Amino acid sequence: MKQATRRSRDDGSEVYNALKASSPAFIGVAVFSAVVNILALTGSIYMLQLYDRVLSSRSISTLVGLSLIVLAAYLLQGGLDTIRGKMLARIGARFDELLSRRIFDLVAAMPLKGARQAESLQPIRDLDQIRGFLSSLGPTALFDMPFMPIFFIGCFIIHPWLGWMSVVGGIVIIALTLYTDAKSKGPSYELTKSAAERHAMAETSRRNAEVVRALGMVEFLGRRYEEVHTKHVDDGLRASESTSGISAFAKVFRMILQSGILGLAAYLVIKGEVSGGSMIAASIMMSRALAPIEIAVAHWKGFTAARQGYRRLEHILSVVPAQEELMPLPAPKGQVVAEDIYVGAPGTNTPIVQAASFQLRAGQGLGLIGPSASGKSTLARALVGVWPMLRGDIRLDGAAIEQWESDQLGRHIGYLPQDVELFDGTVAENIARFQPDASPEAVIAAAKTAGAHDLILGLPEGYNTRIGEGGTSLSGGQRQRVALARALYGDPFLVVLDEPNASLDGAGDEALNEAILSVRKRGGIVVVITHRPAALGNVDLVAIMEEGRIKAMGPRDEVLQAVMKRNTTPAPAPARAAPGAAPQAASLREVG
């Protein structure tokens, strides 16, 4: 899969290559379309023969023979048309299959690039729109259009006036179609954008339903949703109104054209220039000649959406290329080094963490403390490789984390974020990180290390208990203990815990400290971010962060004593300040 992705980047657009992979199927559709369009002449030829041969000869046998031939031709045409539709549906499914995993990786990575929720989910909708158009009747118009000249030539053969009328009618309908596309392009884009914003807001409200209800935010968010929804409805109206008048005129024009050619043919019959059968045949031929255009007009909305989705996917896949296949590295077991790193939020160039440097060896534990908004969680995200570094390097045993594939790096990382997120599934699946080959022994070992084994056994179905989306069936403390077990699963080398005791009681604090000690004893490295000193009992180093910088780092007891001494030392009385002068900076805030 990765080799195919790398080739696609070398040879051209990934989206184009996904379509190109179905080239043999497209050729088959084109061949079937040729046969279907040739068989579409059946009706015209049948009418000519009825009027010019059967009626004049009054031959029942000729009528029966021609009718049986026409029936066979129609059955063959219907069968080939059915097969053509199924082939297009499979082309759409194949296109989706080739890109779906890449799109999922893209959706999972875009929030880490600073994308909003509406933007992050747009690639999935774009893929659905392209697949939906490929599976519809819309593409058949593209395959039928090359055969339109055959029917126009047939009209010319019957009579030049009929041919010219058909050509002029086709040109007018094509012009109306292009004009419709030009007018609908902008409104269609705005409609897609507002639909994504509405969906994102509804999904955010759904995920935070408890907070919304408890804090009395229903009415206010409802008003905000109503504004977004109204904008979406207005965009829909503008998109509809931009084409409704043109579509109505095109429909009326096609009816006028259909009746007009019959009237012109009748005039030519009266003049004795064509036969009665030619009149009906010309009407059928013109109708068939214009059929691809009418199908294109009917599916133009889907075509426009698919085209916009194609361009967006091409752009975003080029901006966020797939990770190249990297050579596997040996499991880290020696040290973690941060070298003068600057870290900013995804999508920004403003550093939150600045000039942070430290070195941790196997078996060490670091407690990271400091006031809120000092950059502790940002540093944690950089250590596990989810937030980008603006400058500097983080290395595991000398290898920068960029040299690791994300999944390979994840096997050596344990991470408990400040905001715990669990997934819909069983407790065991969540602890095992949804690895299909996870062993029960490893899951239980992680749970025991986190002090969560007895807690899990007390659940209705133990490790097989389904916890619901976000772990809604668990309490806050239970979610945190399960998430800690997930972070410890597989004995990772580097374990980063961000506020791991925020929802824990005394027994939970004790289990957390035992887990930290067990990681150090087996030769791992632990980084603990906390405001509660209870979590620092089994670390040997403490670092203080202020304003995005590491202000002090050293043995735990020495650093904590220095902080306590500084906070308990009375500050000297400030000198009388001049009028309008700014107050002096406050001392280091108390930790804990």
Side-chain angles (χ1 to χ4, degrees), residues 536-551:
L536 302 177
N538 283 330
V539 300
D540 58 335
L541 298 172
V542 168
I544 301 174
M545 288 198 71
E546 278 189 331
E547 298 177 350
R549 296 178 180 271
I550 297 179
K551 296 293 186 179

Side-chain angles (χ1 to χ4, degrees), residues 147-344:
F147 300 95
M148 288 168 55
I150 296 176
F151 301 99
F152 287 132
I153 291 172
C155 291
F156 273 103
I157 291 175
I158 295 174
H159 196 280
W161 289 11
L162 299 175
W164 283 116
M165 188 174 187
S166 301
V167 170
V168 171
I171 292 174
V172 171
I173 293 176
I174 291 174
L176 289 173
T177 303
L178 296 177
Y179 183 57
T180 300
D181 178 50
K183 286 203 65 177
S184 64
K185 188 177 297 183
S188 295
Y189 174 79
E190 292 298 326
L191 179 63
T192 301
K193 183 179 177 182
S194 61
E197 292 174 353
R198 184 185 65 163
H199 176 79
M201 185 172 181
E203 177 63 17
T204 301
S205 299
R206 185 192 68 82
R207 291 180 62 85
N208 296 280
E210 292 183 5
V211 174
V212 171
R213 180 68 63 179
L215 299 183
M217 299 167 62
V218 176
E219 182 178 353
F220 307 110
L221 288 178
R223 293 175 185 171
R224 188 173 178 184
Y225 175 81
E226 188 175 357
E227 292 175 1
V228 175
H229 179 72
T230 301
K231 183 180 183 301
H232 174 64
V233 173
D234 291 342
D235 289 339
L237 286 175
R238 280 190 290 270
S240 176
E241 290 172 355
S242 66
T243 59
S244 59
I246 305 171
S247 300
F249 176 76
K251 182 178 180 180
V252 171
F253 178 78
R254 287 195 296 272
M255 290 189 293
I256 293 174
L257 188 62
Q258 191 75 38
S259 299
I261 198 167
L262 283 172
L264 178 59
Y267 172 79
L268 295 174
V269 171
I270 294 172
K271 288 291 187 178
E273 298 186 26
V274 298
S275 65
S278 300
M279 178 181 72
I280 304 300
S283 176
I284 295 174
M285 282 189 178
M286 190 199 70
S287 177
R288 182 59 194 176
L290 300 182
I293 302 176
E294 294 178 359
I295 293 175
V297 172
H299 292 83
W300 197 258
K301 184 177 180 180
F303 170 72
T304 302
R307 183 181 60 185
Q308 292 177 349
Y310 182 93
R311 290 175 177 172
R312 279 193 296 263
L313 283 184
E314 273 195 323
H315 173 71
I316 195 64
L317 289 174
S318 64
V319 172
V320 188
Q323 185 179 17
E324 293 186 1
E325 188 174 4
L326 302 175
M327 187 180 75
L329 297 175
K333 59 178 70 174
Q335 62 181 2
V336 175
V337 178
E339 301 175 345
D340 193 35
I341 62 172
Y342 287 72
V343 187

